[in-house]
Amino acid sequence: MENKSLCERLSDTLEGLFIKFRLPFLSGIILGLFAHGYCFTNKLLNADETAALFSKGADVTSGRWGLVLSGAIFPDMSMPWIYGIISVVLLSAAACVAVEAFALKSPLLKVLTAGAMLVFPAQTGTFCFMYTSAPYALAVLLAVLTVYLCKRGGKLRYVLACLFMALSLLIYQAYISITASFFIILLLQMLSEDDAETKKVIVTAVKYFAVLLVSLGIYLAITTVVKNVGGSGYQEYDTFAEGGILYRVRIAYSSFVRVFVSGYFGFVNSTLSLIAHIVCAAVVIAAAVTAIKKQRDLISSAVMVILLILFPLSINCLYIIASVDIIHSVSQFGFLSVYFLTAAAADSLIGRAVIWRDGAVGALAVIVICNIFFANEVYLKMFLEYENAYAFYNTLMMQVMETPGFNSETIIDIVGNESRTDYDLDRIDTKNLTGPNGNLVDSYTRCDFIKYYLGLDLYIYREDIIWADWFYDMPTYPDSGSIVMREDENRIIVKLS
């Protein structure tokens, strides 16, 4: 037998993986570029992206200690092209792992589930915060690898699964919903097998739940240590706040329903998308009815029904462990599992009910296409918001610098928030997707915007000005008198509001 070097063996392994997974991997990359390519080749801004050009935003203070570690791989700099491409590659790899974990057989379903992961609106929202996109994509991959390792079984794999999940939580806590909902799909698949043993399914469910608990324990232990050592607070994850656990469970289910009924989070973003999601639900119901009819006893049927009931809760499990106030579309990545459940359900019906398989393929294709268009609408809106903000502040700063008495030592106070620096962009309806925001420049981000995007390091804000009588009597910009030079202080005051 030929002796091969480590590099040669690694090369052979990668070649084998590429051949095996080339369909979902390349599909993910291609569809991902169709959806997000514009974002990768332009510097799009929102308020947080403006302020976090050279950081990863709230890391330790939000309990995301892993973001600090990720700085060793991903520098603290918001670079859309390289971070975008890295994210697409990592997410495509995650899609391949998911396809393998669920043992999907249909080539079309492999293509569409990979595409669904890459163009999912929560991922579009994530790319609106480019400074964390690559670490978050790594966290998604770790969350999916956790599922794959648990399916393979074995003590060592379970230990690795706990570590992977804990690291994913340390980067972004929200991705526990991916793992939890994927676990439910695996259990449903196990129970649908011809030789399924209900007891074995229940034991496996307990193991999966234990992995989640242990991972959360590791996360909480590390985060608590970092909090105590660093002396900085972080957003609390209090189970019993806001009405207790039952209240949060109810909110979790109602939120799941609102995604379909009112387009909540922007996941169902058009009438066509709504119809496609209804078809997905019909495919899942058809597969569930078929599987329940196969069950040999009442207990097996009951377990399957319970798992189906728990599925929406697994998607929205973040409502159980986090404050409702900090949950938004970017954090709800677990809804993606609806598409993998649809694909798994359709795969199980192959040879029995072709119409359901075709329905699933058609519905997923429509959802992917709708989400590609939605992503580009989001990025167009962000581009226009930036252009309008840039024009507004460029004009404003020209007026400031043309004010008699201005010199290189002049201090500039821009006071207040201009609520609309752009024209009405509501025509581009991005639902309530977290990411684009019309007022991307405010008192929080104005200094960074003027410094980094206008090239003027001139701004300072003095809090006590707003209480002065002469400031109260000033008109607001752009009215005459809204820009005042106070020569005794060599200071220019601009009143925006």
Side-chain angles (χ1 to χ4, degrees), residues 75-369:
D76 290 344
M77 195 175 299
S78 183
M79 300 178 287
W81 175 250
I82 187 64
Y83 280 176
I85 294 299
I86 290 173
S87 299
V88 165
V89 171
L90 289 173
L91 291 168
S92 296
C96 293
V97 175
V99 164
E100 179 70 7
F102 299 131
L104 297 181
K105 298 181 285 292
S106 169
L108 282 175
L109 291 175
K110 291 179 182 180
V111 169
L112 291 170
T113 49
M117 177 175 280
L118 268 292
V119 306
F120 187 49
Q123 185 56 46
T124 298
T126 301
F127 282 135
C128 296
F129 306 87
M130 190 59 72
Y131 56 94
T132 57
S133 60
Y136 281 10
L138 176 60
V140 171
L141 177 58
L142 290 169
V144 178
L145 280 170
T146 299
V147 177
Y148 174 74
L149 289 170
C150 289
K151 182 184 179 180
R152 292 286 305 277
K155 292 182 180 179
L156 179 58
R157 291 192 183 97
Y158 272 110
V159 171
L160 283 175
C162 291
L163 294 176
F164 281 5
M165 189 68 248
L167 183 54
S168 178
L169 289 168
L170 286 165
I171 296 173
Y172 193 31
Q173 306 94 326
Y175 295 146
I176 191 173
S177 63
I178 301 173
T179 306
S181 54
F182 277 15
F183 276 159
I184 296 291
I185 298 175
L186 285 183
L187 294 169
L188 287 168
Q189 284 184 314
M190 287 181 62
L191 206 54
S192 300
E193 294 173 356
D194 293 332
D195 56 348
E197 298 178 17
T198 307
K199 182 179 178 180
K200 183 178 179 181
V201 173
I202 294 173
V203 170
T204 303
V206 172
K207 290 180 180 179
Y208 290 171
F209 187 64
V211 168
L212 295 176
L213 287 181
V214 171
S215 302
L216 280 169
I218 296 172
Y219 161 76
L220 289 172
I222 293 176
T223 306
T224 301
V225 169
V226 172
K227 175 186 176 182
N228 292 334
V229 172
S232 61
Y234 62 95
Q235 296 180 29
E236 297 292 339
Y237 292 83
D238 182 0
T239 301
F240 301 104
E242 302 179 24
I245 189 70
L246 292 179
Y247 170 80
R248 293 191 174 210
V249 169
R250 182 174 64 82
I251 293 296
Y253 279 105
S254 64
S255 173
F256 182 80
V257 173
R258 287 172 67 191
V259 169
F260 296 94
V261 174
S262 59
Y264 199 49
F265 295 132
F267 297 166
V268 181
N269 41 62
S270 68
T271 302
L272 199 58
S273 178
L274 175 60
I275 294 171
H277 280 84
I278 292 173
V279 173
C280 288
V283 172
V284 171
I285 292 171
V289 170
T290 301
I292 289 172
K293 287 180 178 179
K294 286 170 49 183
Q295 302 304 316
R296 293 182 295 274
D297 55 71
L298 187 61
I299 295 178
S300 299
S301 299
V303 171
M304 178 161 286
V305 171
I306 290 171
L307 288 174
L308 288 170
I309 292 173
L310 288 176
F311 182 67
L313 184 60
S314 67
I315 289 175
N316 282 340
C317 64
L318 196 62
Y319 284 93
I320 307 298
I321 59 176
S323 170
V324 174
D325 295 335
I326 66 171
I327 295 175
H328 45 72
S329 52
V330 173
S331 66
Q332 291 302 90
F333 207 92
F335 189 84
L336 174 77
S337 60
V338 167
Y339 311 131
F340 281 94
L341 178 59
T342 301
D347 236 10
S348 70
L349 291 169
I350 288 178
R352 300 172 183 170
V354 176
I355 187 174
W356 293 115
R357 179 192 63 194
D358 293 342
V361 169
L364 289 174
V366 168
I367 290 169
V368 168
I369 292 171

